Amino acid sequence: MNVLLLGSGGREHALAWKIAASPMLTRLYAAPGNPGIARHADCVKLDLANHAVVAGFCREHRIDLVVVGPEAPLVAGIADDLRAAGIRVFGPSKAAARLEGSKSFTKELCAKYGIPTAAYGRFDNLQAARAYVKEKGAPIVVKADGLAAGKGVTVAMTEQEALAALDACFDGSFGAAGAEVVVEEFLTGEEASFFCLCDGATALPFGTAQDHKRVGDGDTGPNTGGMGAYSPAPVMTPEMVERTMREIVEPTMRGMAEMGAPFSGVLFAGLMITDTGPKLIEYNTRFGDPECQVLMMRLKDDLLVLMNAAADGQLAHISARWKDEAALTVVMAARGYPAAPEKGSVIQGVDEAAALEDVEIFHAGTAVNAGALVANGGRVLNVTAAGRTVAEAQRKAYEAVDMIDWPQGFCRRDIGWRAVEREKTEQPG
Ligand code: AMP
Ligand code: GLY
């Protein structure tokens, strides 16, 4: 079959790598792709905002399945428009992508179906929001509704911080995303990412991971898109997965179907594992980046078979099998990330590092300039390794990182620390 993959990051490189390994694949195209993806796919320039152009490309190149990587095209309704043109898509409709696109939509669904999540208030004016913050006190969390490129969330440890975040939301800093604000209870516990493949009716558990959102070692400094991740997440025991399915994912699938917006594609639940069990922090309607990279390292099965089953409503008849190993990915970012990453610096040694056993290097933000690989974004490379334990995967990943010659790049040196500590205490003797 012919596949068109939309997106250009490390997540899409990992998907391209795994799709390319499928015996079912005839030809893979990526729009726009990146130099790493180009090893597995024909990279094409397409205006993803123009759905008619994308549909035209699919007809011309006999595309059998479109795989949508990032959230923006989903929230803009690309899956609906392609399906209306008779093209099969892996990814949710616009109405179903509201689970990611609108925090208040998700909060209302949680309230209606008794899904455990932080208590919250929702406001469209500053005065009422300020009054709520003053009533509840800190710590408290302020979120701009809508997509704000990951910048719309403030975990405020003091009341002043929360009030300043409200001012920013209502003074237009987040554009239309700030016109409504959700203020919610601060949850304590350990965070985990939980993934399901969905076909509108059935949700198939599809792996767990933990990521590191802060830019600095020891989980310090500003929030980023994610500086590294590992899988599986030790807190997601079989019992916790079972509870998450029953208390969170299954009622969500039911609720979405009942309102005529059945969910298909990847459902990514950001969870807080609290003393009383799993609580939903947020949904995303796509794979996590960099969580996808570690999931793909561990997936035994043919990804195209699974994506086809999701697109065709056949997931009830299928399972996903995982390698017994752990996987870990270290994000190498350009100096200045996340505020102002420097572009254009030359990166050497990537092929040598990628030749190490059990190591894959996914490109997240690279370009080729005069024959040299250069940085072309904030997060640039995802150095990924598999191992029998998280500690072993971590050692191999950093061995590869240390072979890469890129003075203008940096990474955290402690990805996986929580799981590595846990492995130490769990070892007998
Ligand atoms: P989000 O952009 O919604 O993923 O939020 C970014 C980060 O803020 C999450 O990964 C959590 O670490 C934190 N966060 C969001 N909501 C809460 C909450 N209610 N309680 C504690 N931390 C939260
Ligand atoms: N790594 C978090 C995300 O993809 O949203």
Side-chain angles (χ1 to χ4, degrees):
M1 58 190 287
N2 296 324
V3 177
L4 171 64
L5 170 67
L6 306 184
S8 64
R11 166 181 52 211
E12 287 77 22
H13 186 182
L15 292 173
W17 172 71
K18 194 68 190 159
I19 290 171
S22 170
M24 289 174 75
L25 184 73
T26 310
R27 203 148 171 192
L28 178 61
Y29 298 89
N34 69 35
I37 294 172
R39 297 192 173 180
H40 312 288
D42 291 332
C43 293
V44 293
K45 281 206 179 84
L46 278 180
D47 178 2
L48 300 188
N50 189 335
H51 301 170
V53 165
V54 179
F57 178 90
C58 291
R59 273 191 297 268
E60 197 180 319
H61 293 86
R62 301 179 186 283
I63 298 298
D64 300 295
L65 183 70
V66 177
V67 175
V68 186
E71 65 276 17
L74 296 168
V75 171
I78 199 165
D80 310 64
D81 291 334
L82 292 176
R83 286 189 187 116
I87 298 156
R88 293 167 67 250
V89 183
F90 177 80
S93 68
K94 181 174 182 166
R98 281 179 297 175
L99 284 175
E100 171 158 5
S102 167
K103 295 190 192 299
S104 52
F105 173 82
T106 300
K107 282 298 196 186
E108 277 164 25
L109 182 91
C110 288
K112 187 165 172 200
Y113 290 88
I115 295 167
T117 186
Y120 74 106
R122 178 182 159 197
F123 306 96
D124 61 8
N125 76 86
L126 180 61
Q127 278 337 96
R130 287 180 66 96
Y132 186 82
V133 164
K134 291 199 163 149
E135 181 200 325
K136 300 287 178 189
I140 195 161
V141 181
V142 176
K143 301 185 174 186
D145 204 353
L147 297 177
K151 297 192 179 108
V153 176
T154 304
V155 179
M157 298 317 286
T158 65
E159 197 173 296
Q160 285 93 310
E161 249 183 286
L163 295 175
L166 287 179
D167 286 339
C169 286
F170 285 106
D171 78 5
S173 301
F174 303 113
E180 284 213 357
V181 169
V182 168
V183 182
E184 66 178 43
E185 172 199 0
F186 174 75
L187 299 173
T188 49
E190 190 169 336
E191 276 185 68
S193 303
F194 179 63
F195 298 86
C196 287
L197 291 186
C198 304
D199 68 1
T202 299
L204 177 71
F206 200 64
T208 65
Q210 275 174 319
D211 85 345
H212 295 264
K213 287 224 165 87
R214 303 299 191 102
V215 76
D217 281 13
D219 295 326
T220 55
N223 250 320
T224 70
M227 294 300 291
Y230 53 95
S231 173
V235 279
M236 293 305 287
T237 57
E239 185 223 344
M240 203 56 75
V241 167
E242 195 270 319
R243 280 191 67 177
T244 304
M245 288 303 290
R246 182 159 37 87
E247 297 172 21
I248 298 178
V249 173
E250 278 159 12
T252 299
M253 292 297 286
R254 199 161 56 242
M256 296 303 288
E258 279 174 15
M259 73 175 79
F263 188 88
S264 72
V266 181
L267 187 62
F268 162 6
L271 302 174
M272 188 71 85
I273 307 304
T274 70
D275 289 345
T276 58
K279 290 197 176 181
L280 181 69
I281 298 175
E282 61 159 2
Y283 274 131
N284 296 300
T285 60
R286 48 161 176 90
F287 280 112
D289 187 348
E291 289 94 327
C292 183
Q293 290 80 317
V294 284
L295 292 183
M296 291 306 115
M297 286 294 273
R298 295 188 52 238
L299 180 64
K300 264 193 197 162
D301 288 305
D302 184 333
L303 182 61
L304 268 188
V305 169
L306 290 157
M307 286 180 157
N308 275 322
D312 295 340
Q314 296 296 318
L315 282 177
H317 313 293
I318 207 165
S319 63
R321 287 167 307 162
W322 302 92
K323 293 181 189 160
D324 232 358
E325 298 181 318
L328 181 141
T329 189
V330 176
V331 172
M332 295 188 79
R335 202 154 62 194
Y337 178 75
E342 292 170 23
K343 284 192 182 177
S345 52
V346 174
I347 307 165
Q348 287 178 306
V350 173
D351 289 342
E352 292 80 351
L356 291 178
E357 205 177 338
D358 299 324
V359 169
E360 294 294 332
I361 299 183
F362 299 116
H363 291 221
T366 63
V368 174
N369 189 357
L373 188 69
V374 299
N376 189 38
R379 295 188 292 173
V380 175
L381 295 171
N382 306 140
V383 182
T384 313
R388 277 169 301 140
T389 59
V390 175
E392 189 179 284
Q394 184 194 53
R395 188 183 52 69
K396 289 184 195 169
Y398 283 111
E399 191 185 330
V401 164
D402 290 336
M403 288 173 68
I404 294 173
D405 177 12
W406 180 29
Q408 294 85 356
F410 73 97
C411 66
R412 281 181 58 164
R413 298 296 313 190
D414 64 346
I415 298 303
W417 65 268
R418 204 190 283 272
V420 170
E421 289 299 312
R422 203 186 288 238
E423 283 173 354
K424 277 187 199 151
T425 60
E426 278 170 6
Q427 252 158 35

